[in-house]
Amino acid sequence: MRRAPTTLAALALCLALAAPALAADKPLTFGMLLVGPYNDKGYSQAQYEGGKYVEEHVPGAKMLYLDKLNPADRPGVTVPQVVDDLAAKGATLIFAGSDDMKDGIREAAEQHPELTFVHISGDDVLTGKAPKNLGNVFSKMEYAKMMAGFSAAMTTQTGKIGFLGPLINDETRRLADAAYLGARYAWEKVRGQKPEALSFKVTWIGFWFNIPGVTSDPNQVAGSFFDQGYDVVISGIDTPEALTVAAARRKAGADVHALPYDFKQACDSAPEACLGVPYFNWGPALLPIVKDVVAGTWKPSFVWLSPDFAALNDPDKSPVGFLPGQGLSAESKKALDQFTADLGSGKVDLFAGPLTYQDGTVFVPAGRTATDKELWFCPQLLKGMEGASASK
Amino acid sequence: MTRRAAPLVRAAWALAAAFAVTLGILLAAGAPPFATLAVMAEGGLGSQAAALRTLAAFTPLLLCGAALCVTFAANLWNIGVEGQITMGAIFAQGCLRAADPAGGLPAGLDLALGLAASALGGLVWALLAGMLRTHGRVHEIFSGLGLNFVAMGVSLWLILGPWKRPGMASMSGTETLDQALWLPALGGRPMSMVGPILAVAAFVGAAWLLRRTFFGLTLAAVRQNALAATRLGLRPGLRILAAMGICGALAGLAGGILVAGLYHRLIPSISGNYGYTAILAVLLASGSLLALPAACLFFAVLTVGSVQLPLSLSLDSSLAGVLQGVLVLTLFAARRLRPLSRRREP
């Protein structure tokens, strides 16, 4: 009885050891820690595909991934433990995908000074907490959110735009603010409408996705937006309820639209209701980091990547994209292209002052534009938006 | 067949059936069945580090399993353990973040207070459900489930609101506790032996309480016939509250150990479904106190070992969850379909 598990364990060990031993000439093995399922058609899948992209473009590179790394799905499993495993399997570079992993990845970096760590969405370098082997990278989704807001404001008939927000923190406030700035620009500068005729309301559900009993139900929130005359809903959450509800309302005869988030193919489930999707494209964001690590030239820094405005939806170029949906009219799409070009050339800078927070304090004074640090730490929604700036 | 051996035979038959179904599923999923099982076993027990992780998952499972045995003994369908763990974690975090490691009380006392607070938190939460049952005629299934959600909501609110770390609130949780307030660890790993020791002690205590004391006997009386228990002057309402309270305290303690011994801070979903998994473990052990630690260990190995599936075999790690569910279902089905069945229901 005792022997059987030992034999099986030995067999497993052989299998595990054989795999890396075959690939002998020391190519890079990197670890990828995903917070959600690798096939979630959302935030985590975008990162998984970024890792696959790196595998394709760096000869010999091999990705080891672990998905659903969160305490609900993997109780008792911590980030440092998984990093120990990855290191034992030969990984020398570790990507951690989510804000949840902030402390875990720092702890792991301190325990493994010989490895390189990159925390996606983190800010330890910015706050000075990062050890020497930990860097940060994120993409400026703000610009894609501006395009989402722009598309929404170009389309709305009622002048009322809803923003389906997740939980409230600096990142989510920042993205809601960006969507508002894009919408306001389209409304006032392109459509020539009166500022007071635009209503932009943010409703937070309380988490990145629906947890029955804990969060507000995003189906209900999206539905109530449409009930109150909001005819476009921009989603800030990781799941597609806004688009699903919009599609159902369209079937019932309402002329409403929505914009999902995170994943390039997100419009596919209801193309005619979809105005477009802001999405992450991690391949071109991660590739330079991996190349630097291979060349030994990597330095820890806080990297916050802007989109490639001239090649927004080129999978090899822009770390952030905005893919217009079928619901966007040809005319609006033309205006969107112009808007994108103007953002790229710097002709339009929506983060230029004067900008004011909801309570009247100055965000950016007139005459200059916001710094990265001012943008990153975002305490409030902007003046002109409706909705809570903090959880009560 | 002696009465003591009966559960073992039953378990062996059920396990064999479950094993066969498991192999079938793995084959159907296109996974090499034996290698997959071996990788999971190896990942859960194959090295000292792996064994420590399994122990870390085993600790809250055993605590919650023991807790559930107490309420099952009184015929209570207590599924509020998740919330009681969360409340325990919240109380422990509240107590420990208020502690001053530099001055005042010695760290050991701070920790003891933190763990006591966690037991209190779980107790209060369980008593809420218990009182809704005894005084409000709300079945504990509904109140327990509802209070689970409320506890999770409270923890999220604290993490993103009043207890948010300096600077940006993070889903990574509250600010990490001062190292002096961590349960003493072993060999530099984030793992404390205090938790497992407390869990085993709690389990033995619960077993003693149920098997060897008058209180345990009265719970059995309440379970078997509440009306008769009332007539006998056993005051079932009070017994129910006591059972809920004990259960809550143990579950809360599990939450406290997760804060002080594993995560060292309050994180979202800190209860990690241990409360639900423990229900499965108790069901798997089919009420046998003797089999409970083995069932808990089994689930702990499965949870920890499944991490290796994507890493070693590029298999979808949901497979472990599927296996877990199918195993429990098969075990139940197998018990009904068992040959040589001279069924005598408890």
mmCIF file of all heavy atoms in Angstrom, chain B residues 81-130:
data_model
loop_
_atom_site.group_PDB
_atom_site.id
_atom_site.type_symbol
_atom_site.label_atom_id
_atom_site.label_comp_id
_atom_site.label_asym_id
_atom_site.label_seq_id
_atom_site.Cartn_x
_atom_site.Cartn_y
_atom_site.Cartn_z
ATOM 1 N N VAL B 81 -20.361 29.070 7.913
ATOM 2 C CA VAL B 81 -18.980 29.012 8.402
ATOM 3 C C VAL B 81 -18.074 30.010 7.674
ATOM 4 O O VAL B 81 -17.226 30.654 8.280
ATOM 5 C CB VAL B 81 -18.431 27.580 8.259
ATOM 6 C CG1 VAL B 81 -16.992 27.508 8.680
ATOM 7 C CG2 VAL B 81 -19.260 26.636 9.100
ATOM 8 N N GLU B 82 -18.293 30.159 6.363
ATOM 9 C CA GLU B 82 -17.515 31.138 5.586
ATOM 10 C C GLU B 82 -17.539 32.513 6.255
ATOM 11 O O GLU B 82 -16.511 33.144 6.445
ATOM 12 C CB GLU B 82 -18.113 31.288 4.188
ATOM 13 C CG GLU B 82 -17.701 30.235 3.205
ATOM 14 C CD GLU B 82 -16.268 30.391 2.774
ATOM 15 O OE1 GLU B 82 -15.937 31.420 2.190
ATOM 16 O OE2 GLU B 82 -15.483 29.475 3.039
ATOM 17 N N GLY B 83 -18.744 32.953 6.564
ATOM 18 C CA GLY B 83 -18.895 34.275 7.174
ATOM 19 C C GLY B 83 -18.254 34.329 8.547
ATOM 20 O O GLY B 83 -17.698 35.353 8.946
ATOM 21 N N GLN B 84 -18.349 33.205 9.266
ATOM 22 C CA GLN B 84 -17.758 33.188 10.611
ATOM 23 C C GLN B 84 -16.233 33.248 10.527
ATOM 24 O O GLN B 84 -15.590 33.907 11.347
ATOM 25 C CB GLN B 84 -18.238 31.933 11.350
ATOM 26 C CG GLN B 84 -19.727 32.008 11.690
ATOM 27 C CD GLN B 84 -20.420 30.648 11.708
ATOM 28 O OE1 GLN B 84 -19.776 29.619 11.885
ATOM 29 N NE2 GLN B 84 -21.724 30.643 11.525
ATOM 30 N N ILE B 85 -15.655 32.594 9.524
ATOM 31 C CA ILE B 85 -14.198 32.715 9.317
ATOM 32 C C ILE B 85 -13.855 34.174 9.022
ATOM 33 O O ILE B 85 -12.941 34.761 9.601
ATOM 34 C CB ILE B 85 -13.721 31.865 8.117
ATOM 35 C CG1 ILE B 85 -14.061 30.399 8.316
ATOM 36 C CG2 ILE B 85 -12.234 32.033 7.897
ATOM 37 C CD1 ILE B 85 -13.773 29.535 7.081
ATOM 38 N N THR B 86 -14.625 34.756 8.089
ATOM 39 C CA THR B 86 -14.346 36.142 7.687
ATOM 40 C C THR B 86 -14.452 37.085 8.878
ATOM 41 O O THR B 86 -13.597 37.947 9.078
ATOM 42 C CB THR B 86 -15.325 36.568 6.585
ATOM 43 O OG1 THR B 86 -15.283 35.605 5.539
ATOM 44 C CG2 THR B 86 -14.975 37.923 6.032
ATOM 45 N N MET B 87 -15.510 36.909 9.684
ATOM 46 C CA MET B 87 -15.676 37.786 10.842
ATOM 47 C C MET B 87 -14.521 37.589 11.817
ATOM 48 O O MET B 87 -14.022 38.542 12.415
ATOM 49 C CB MET B 87 -16.988 37.459 11.539
ATOM 50 C CG MET B 87 -17.967 38.590 11.728
ATOM 51 S SD MET B 87 -17.433 40.234 11.384
ATOM 52 C CE MET B 87 -18.539 40.675 10.086
ATOM 53 N N GLY B 88 -14.094 36.329 12.001
ATOM 54 C CA GLY B 88 -12.946 36.057 12.863
ATOM 55 C C GLY B 88 -11.709 36.781 12.358
ATOM 56 O O GLY B 88 -10.968 37.402 13.131
ATOM 57 N N ALA B 89 -11.514 36.717 11.034
ATOM 58 C CA ALA B 89 -10.357 37.389 10.441
ATOM 59 C C ALA B 89 -10.447 38.895 10.665
ATOM 60 O O ALA B 89 -9.454 39.556 10.988
ATOM 61 C CB ALA B 89 -10.286 37.068 8.949
ATOM 62 N N ILE B 90 -11.649 39.432 10.515
ATOM 63 C CA ILE B 90 -11.832 40.876 10.701
ATOM 64 C C ILE B 90 -11.530 41.271 12.151
ATOM 65 O O ILE B 90 -10.810 42.239 12.411
ATOM 66 C CB ILE B 90 -13.265 41.287 10.309
ATOM 67 C CG1 ILE B 90 -13.447 41.190 8.786
ATOM 68 C CG2 ILE B 90 -13.584 42.686 10.806
ATOM 69 C CD1 ILE B 90 -14.886 41.390 8.327
ATOM 70 N N PHE B 91 -12.063 40.497 13.094
ATOM 71 C CA PHE B 91 -11.813 40.818 14.509
ATOM 72 C C PHE B 91 -10.325 40.713 14.831
ATOM 73 O O PHE B 91 -9.775 41.552 15.542
ATOM 74 C CB PHE B 91 -12.626 39.880 15.420
ATOM 75 C CG PHE B 91 -14.003 40.389 15.736
ATOM 76 C CD1 PHE B 91 -14.891 40.734 14.729
ATOM 77 C CD2 PHE B 91 -14.424 40.523 17.057
ATOM 78 C CE1 PHE B 91 -16.169 41.201 15.031
ATOM 79 C CE2 PHE B 91 -15.695 40.996 17.366
ATOM 80 C CZ PHE B 91 -16.569 41.324 16.346
ATOM 81 N N ALA B 92 -9.683 39.654 14.308
ATOM 82 C CA ALA B 92 -8.251 39.485 14.581
ATOM 83 C C ALA B 92 -7.462 40.655 14.011
ATOM 84 O O ALA B 92 -6.613 41.246 14.684
ATOM 85 C CB ALA B 92 -7.752 38.178 13.976
ATOM 86 N N GLN B 93 -7.781 41.017 12.769
ATOM 87 C CA GLN B 93 -7.078 42.130 12.134
ATOM 88 C C GLN B 93 -7.326 43.421 12.915
ATOM 89 O O GLN B 93 -6.398 44.187 13.165
ATOM 90 C CB GLN B 93 -7.550 42.286 10.688
ATOM 91 C CG GLN B 93 -7.007 43.510 9.964
ATOM 92 C CD GLN B 93 -5.541 43.369 9.576
ATOM 93 O OE1 GLN B 93 -5.022 42.263 9.509
ATOM 94 N NE2 GLN B 93 -4.876 44.498 9.350
ATOM 95 N N GLY B 94 -8.562 43.632 13.323
ATOM 96 C CA GLY B 94 -8.899 44.841 14.081
ATOM 97 C C GLY B 94 -8.101 44.911 15.366
ATOM 98 O O GLY B 94 -7.587 45.969 15.751
ATOM 99 N N CYS B 95 -7.979 43.775 16.029
ATOM 100 C CA CYS B 95 -7.253 43.726 17.301
ATOM 101 C C CYS B 95 -5.755 43.919 17.066
ATOM 102 O O CYS B 95 -5.104 44.700 17.742
ATOM 103 C CB CYS B 95 -7.539 42.378 17.958
ATOM 104 S SG CYS B 95 -6.828 42.189 19.574
ATOM 105 N N LEU B 96 -5.218 43.232 16.047
ATOM 106 C CA LEU B 96 -3.769 43.256 15.837
ATOM 107 C C LEU B 96 -3.294 44.598 15.268
ATOM 108 O O LEU B 96 -2.194 45.039 15.555
ATOM 109 C CB LEU B 96 -3.352 42.105 14.914
ATOM 110 C CG LEU B 96 -3.484 40.712 15.552
ATOM 111 C CD1 LEU B 96 -3.180 39.617 14.537
ATOM 112 C CD2 LEU B 96 -2.556 40.583 16.752
ATOM 113 N N ARG B 97 -4.129 45.220 14.442
ATOM 114 C CA ARG B 97 -3.674 46.496 13.874
ATOM 115 C C ARG B 97 -3.695 47.587 14.938
ATOM 116 O O ARG B 97 -3.016 48.603 14.829
ATOM 117 C CB ARG B 97 -4.501 46.897 12.650
ATOM 118 C CG ARG B 97 -5.901 47.357 12.935
ATOM 119 C CD ARG B 97 -6.743 47.407 11.683
ATOM 120 N NE ARG B 97 -6.319 48.438 10.739
ATOM 121 C CZ ARG B 97 -6.670 49.702 10.827
ATOM 122 N NH1 ARG B 97 -7.440 50.109 11.805
ATOM 123 N NH2 ARG B 97 -6.255 50.574 9.931
ATOM 124 N N ALA B 98 -4.499 47.354 15.995
ATOM 125 C CA ALA B 98 -4.525 48.318 17.087
ATOM 126 C C ALA B 98 -3.372 48.078 18.054
ATOM 127 O O ALA B 98 -3.014 48.953 18.836
ATOM 128 C CB ALA B 98 -5.856 48.221 17.828
ATOM 129 N N ALA B 99 -2.788 46.855 17.995
ATOM 130 C CA ALA B 99 -1.703 46.533 18.914
ATOM 131 C C ALA B 99 -0.453 47.330 18.548
ATOM 132 O O ALA B 99 -0.204 47.589 17.385
ATOM 133 C CB ALA B 99 -1.399 45.038 18.849
ATOM 134 N N ASP B 100 0.293 47.680 19.553
ATOM 135 C CA ASP B 100 1.532 48.413 19.326
ATOM 136 C C ASP B 100 2.686 47.466 19.617
ATOM 137 O O ASP B 100 2.969 47.167 20.771
ATOM 138 C CB ASP B 100 1.580 49.635 20.246
ATOM 139 C CG ASP B 100 2.874 50.410 20.086
ATOM 140 O OD1 ASP B 100 3.632 50.075 19.144
ATOM 141 O OD2 ASP B 100 3.117 51.323 20.886
ATOM 142 N N PRO B 101 3.347 46.962 18.544
ATOM 143 C CA PRO B 101 4.390 45.967 18.772
ATOM 144 C C PRO B 101 5.585 46.523 19.537
ATOM 145 O O PRO B 101 6.296 45.774 20.205
ATOM 146 C CB PRO B 101 4.786 45.549 17.350
ATOM 147 C CG PRO B 101 4.315 46.641 16.467
ATOM 148 C CD PRO B 101 3.151 47.286 17.141
ATOM 149 N N ALA B 102 5.800 47.847 19.439
ATOM 150 C CA ALA B 102 6.982 48.430 20.075
ATOM 151 C C ALA B 102 6.820 48.474 21.595
ATOM 152 O O ALA B 102 7.725 48.138 22.350
ATOM 153 C CB ALA B 102 7.236 49.821 19.521
ATOM 154 N N GLY B 103 5.664 48.891 22.019
ATOM 155 C CA GLY B 103 5.515 49.056 23.458
ATOM 156 C C GLY B 103 4.272 48.340 23.952
ATOM 157 O O GLY B 103 3.652 47.573 23.239
ATOM 158 N N GLY B 104 3.915 48.626 25.160
ATOM 159 C CA GLY B 104 2.702 48.043 25.712
ATOM 160 C C GLY B 104 2.866 46.562 25.998
ATOM 161 O O GLY B 104 3.822 46.135 26.646
ATOM 162 N N LEU B 105 1.976 45.775 25.459
ATOM 163 C CA LEU B 105 1.935 44.355 25.810
ATOM 164 C C LEU B 105 3.029 43.584 25.070
ATOM 165 O O LEU B 105 3.434 43.969 23.982
ATOM 166 C CB LEU B 105 0.574 43.784 25.416
ATOM 167 C CG LEU B 105 -0.609 44.474 26.076
ATOM 168 C CD1 LEU B 105 -1.908 44.018 25.418
ATOM 169 C CD2 LEU B 105 -0.642 44.183 27.564
ATOM 170 N N PRO B 106 3.503 42.487 25.652
ATOM 171 C CA PRO B 106 4.411 41.614 24.891
ATOM 172 C C PRO B 106 3.696 41.027 23.677
ATOM 173 O O PRO B 106 2.482 40.837 23.711
ATOM 174 C CB PRO B 106 4.785 40.517 25.898
ATOM 175 C CG PRO B 106 3.828 40.628 27.027
ATOM 176 C CD PRO B 106 3.252 42.006 27.007
ATOM 177 N N ALA B 107 4.475 40.763 22.606
ATOM 178 C CA ALA B 107 3.869 40.348 21.329
ATOM 179 C C ALA B 107 3.040 39.077 21.488
ATOM 180 O O ALA B 107 1.994 38.926 20.863
ATOM 181 C CB ALA B 107 4.944 40.144 20.281
ATOM 182 N N GLY B 108 3.520 38.170 22.337
ATOM 183 C CA GLY B 108 2.786 36.916 22.533
ATOM 184 C C GLY B 108 1.385 37.176 23.041
ATOM 185 O O GLY B 108 0.415 36.554 22.596
ATOM 186 N N LEU B 109 1.275 38.134 23.948
ATOM 187 C CA LEU B 109 -0.037 38.453 24.517
ATOM 188 C C LEU B 109 -0.918 39.120 23.470
ATOM 189 O O LEU B 109 -2.119 38.834 23.356
ATOM 190 C CB LEU B 109 0.150 39.367 25.731
ATOM 191 C CG LEU B 109 -1.056 39.496 26.659
ATOM 192 C CD1 LEU B 109 -1.498 38.125 27.160
ATOM 193 C CD2 LEU B 109 -0.722 40.409 27.833
ATOM 194 N N ASP B 110 -0.295 40.010 22.678
ATOM 195 C CA ASP B 110 -1.032 40.641 21.569
ATOM 196 C C ASP B 110 -1.637 39.579 20.662
ATOM 197 O O ASP B 110 -2.803 39.635 20.286
ATOM 198 C CB ASP B 110 -0.080 41.504 20.717
ATOM 199 C CG ASP B 110 0.119 42.877 21.332
ATOM 200 O OD1 ASP B 110 -0.776 43.304 22.087
ATOM 201 O OD2 ASP B 110 1.148 43.497 21.048
ATOM 202 N N LEU B 111 -0.799 38.590 20.333
ATOM 203 C CA LEU B 111 -1.249 37.532 19.437
ATOM 204 C C LEU B 111 -2.385 36.726 20.060
ATOM 205 O O LEU B 111 -3.387 36.429 19.408
ATOM 206 C CB LEU B 111 -0.085 36.594 19.118
ATOM 207 C CG LEU B 111 0.709 36.967 17.887
ATOM 208 C CD1 LEU B 111 1.956 36.107 17.793
ATOM 209 C CD2 LEU B 111 -0.146 36.788 16.642
ATOM 210 N N ALA B 112 -2.208 36.392 21.338
ATOM 211 C CA ALA B 112 -3.254 35.628 22.026
ATOM 212 C C ALA B 112 -4.555 36.418 22.032
ATOM 213 O O ALA B 112 -5.636 35.868 21.786
ATOM 214 C CB ALA B 112 -2.807 35.309 23.444
ATOM 215 N N LEU B 113 -4.441 37.736 22.276
ATOM 216 C CA LEU B 113 -5.640 38.574 22.260
ATOM 217 C C LEU B 113 -6.262 38.587 20.876
ATOM 218 O O LEU B 113 -7.483 38.523 20.720
ATOM 219 C CB LEU B 113 -5.281 40.006 22.678
ATOM 220 C CG LEU B 113 -5.181 40.246 24.177
ATOM 221 C CD1 LEU B 113 -4.736 41.687 24.447
ATOM 222 C CD2 LEU B 113 -6.521 39.987 24.861
ATOM 223 N N GLY B 114 -5.402 38.670 19.851
ATOM 224 C CA GLY B 114 -5.890 38.686 18.476
ATOM 225 C C GLY B 114 -6.666 37.417 18.165
ATOM 226 O O GLY B 114 -7.755 37.462 17.588
ATOM 227 N N LEU B 115 -6.112 36.268 18.571
ATOM 228 C CA LEU B 115 -6.785 35.003 18.293
ATOM 229 C C LEU B 115 -8.076 34.894 19.111
ATOM 230 O O LEU B 115 -9.106 34.403 18.618
ATOM 231 C CB LEU B 115 -5.855 33.827 18.592
ATOM 232 C CG LEU B 115 -4.683 33.672 17.613
ATOM 233 C CD1 LEU B 115 -3.842 32.454 17.967
ATOM 234 C CD2 LEU B 115 -5.167 33.576 16.169
ATOM 235 N N ALA B 116 -8.033 35.379 20.362
ATOM 236 C CA ALA B 116 -9.245 35.365 21.180
ATOM 237 C C ALA B 116 -10.312 36.234 20.523
ATOM 238 O O ALA B 116 -11.496 35.870 20.464
ATOM 239 C CB ALA B 116 -8.933 35.866 22.589
ATOM 240 N N ALA B 117 -9.860 37.387 20.003
ATOM 241 C CA ALA B 117 -10.812 38.278 19.327
ATOM 242 C C ALA B 117 -11.420 37.580 18.116
ATOM 243 O O ALA B 117 -12.621 37.721 17.836
ATOM 244 C CB ALA B 117 -10.113 39.566 18.897
ATOM 245 N N SER B 118 -10.594 36.810 17.403
ATOM 246 C CA SER B 118 -11.119 36.139 16.214
ATOM 247 C C SER B 118 -12.192 35.128 16.596
ATOM 248 O O SER B 118 -13.239 35.032 15.945
ATOM 249 C CB SER B 118 -9.980 35.460 15.442
ATOM 250 O OG SER B 118 -9.494 34.341 16.142
ATOM 251 N N ALA B 119 -11.947 34.398 17.691
ATOM 252 C CA ALA B 119 -12.951 33.443 18.156
ATOM 253 C C ALA B 119 -14.233 34.182 18.533
ATOM 254 O O ALA B 119 -15.345 33.733 18.220
ATOM 255 C CB ALA B 119 -12.414 32.645 19.334
ATOM 256 N N LEU B 120 -14.057 35.336 19.177
ATOM 257 C CA LEU B 120 -15.226 36.134 19.561
ATOM 258 C C LEU B 120 -16.004 36.587 18.328
ATOM 259 O O LEU B 120 -17.244 36.515 18.289
ATOM 260 C CB LEU B 120 -14.762 37.353 20.376
ATOM 261 C CG LEU B 120 -15.869 38.296 20.837
ATOM 262 C CD1 LEU B 120 -16.720 37.620 21.903
ATOM 263 C CD2 LEU B 120 -15.290 39.603 21.379
ATOM 264 N N GLY B 121 -15.254 37.039 17.311
ATOM 265 C CA GLY B 121 -15.916 37.496 16.083
ATOM 266 C C GLY B 121 -16.759 36.407 15.446
ATOM 267 O O GLY B 121 -17.914 36.618 15.088
ATOM 268 N N GLY B 122 -16.169 35.219 15.328
ATOM 269 C CA GLY B 122 -16.910 34.107 14.749
ATOM 270 C C GLY B 122 -18.106 33.742 15.609
ATOM 271 O O GLY B 122 -19.201 33.450 15.100
ATOM 272 N N LEU B 123 -17.900 33.777 16.921
ATOM 273 C CA LEU B 123 -18.974 33.425 17.858
ATOM 274 C C LEU B 123 -20.168 34.370 17.701
ATOM 275 O O LEU B 123 -21.319 33.938 17.597
ATOM 276 C CB LEU B 123 -18.417 33.478 19.280
ATOM 277 C CG LEU B 123 -19.348 33.095 20.423
ATOM 278 C CD1 LEU B 123 -18.634 32.120 21.349
ATOM 279 C CD2 LEU B 123 -19.804 34.294 21.221
ATOM 280 N N VAL B 124 -19.859 35.668 17.671
ATOM 281 C CA VAL B 124 -20.938 36.652 17.532
ATOM 282 C C VAL B 124 -21.714 36.406 16.238
ATOM 283 O O VAL B 124 -22.946 36.390 16.220
ATOM 284 C CB VAL B 124 -20.348 38.081 17.536
ATOM 285 C CG1 VAL B 124 -21.382 39.094 17.084
ATOM 286 C CG2 VAL B 124 -19.822 38.427 18.915
ATOM 287 N N TRP B 125 -20.969 36.176 15.159
ATOM 288 C CA TRP B 125 -21.606 35.995 13.851
ATOM 289 C C TRP B 125 -22.486 34.739 13.838
ATOM 290 O O TRP B 125 -23.578 34.733 13.278
ATOM 291 C CB TRP B 125 -20.528 35.931 12.773
ATOM 292 C CG TRP B 125 -20.933 36.529 11.474
ATOM 293 C CD1 TRP B 125 -20.996 35.905 10.271
ATOM 294 C CD2 TRP B 125 -21.338 37.880 11.230
ATOM 295 N NE1 TRP B 125 -21.419 36.785 9.305
ATOM 296 C CE2 TRP B 125 -21.634 37.994 9.855
ATOM 297 C CE3 TRP B 125 -21.494 39.012 12.044
ATOM 298 C CZ2 TRP B 125 -22.075 39.191 9.276
ATOM 299 C CZ3 TRP B 125 -21.923 40.192 11.470
ATOM 300 C CH2 TRP B 125 -22.206 40.273 10.105
ATOM 301 N N ALA B 126 -21.973 33.668 14.471
ATOM 302 C CA ALA B 126 -22.741 32.422 14.500
ATOM 303 C C ALA B 126 -23.964 32.580 15.398
ATOM 304 O O ALA B 126 -25.046 32.056 15.091
ATOM 305 C CB ALA B 126 -21.857 31.282 14.992
ATOM 306 N N LEU B 127 -23.798 33.307 16.507
ATOM 307 C CA LEU B 127 -24.936 33.501 17.414
ATOM 308 C C LEU B 127 -26.050 34.288 16.722
ATOM 309 O O LEU B 127 -27.236 34.049 16.968
ATOM 310 C CB LEU B 127 -24.500 34.223 18.691
ATOM 311 C CG LEU B 127 -23.829 33.336 19.743
ATOM 312 C CD1 LEU B 127 -23.537 34.132 21.002
ATOM 313 C CD2 LEU B 127 -24.690 32.124 20.077
ATOM 314 N N LEU B 128 -25.647 35.226 15.860
ATOM 315 C CA LEU B 128 -26.655 35.966 15.091
ATOM 316 C C LEU B 128 -27.545 34.992 14.319
ATOM 317 O O LEU B 128 -28.770 35.046 14.387
ATOM 318 C CB LEU B 128 -25.963 36.902 14.106
ATOM 319 C CG LEU B 128 -25.781 38.347 14.525
ATOM 320 C CD1 LEU B 128 -25.046 39.113 13.426
ATOM 321 C CD2 LEU B 128 -27.131 38.979 14.782
ATOM 322 N N ALA B 129 -26.865 34.076 13.591
ATOM 323 C CA ALA B 129 -27.628 33.085 12.825
ATOM 324 C C ALA B 129 -28.434 32.198 13.772
ATOM 325 O O ALA B 129 -29.599 31.869 13.506
ATOM 326 C CB ALA B 129 -26.679 32.237 11.974
ATOM 327 N N GLY B 130 -27.804 31.816 14.904
ATOM 328 C CA GLY B 130 -28.482 30.956 15.865
ATOM 329 C C GLY B 130 -29.726 31.614 16.441
ATOM 330 O O GLY B 130 -30.788 30.994 16.562
#
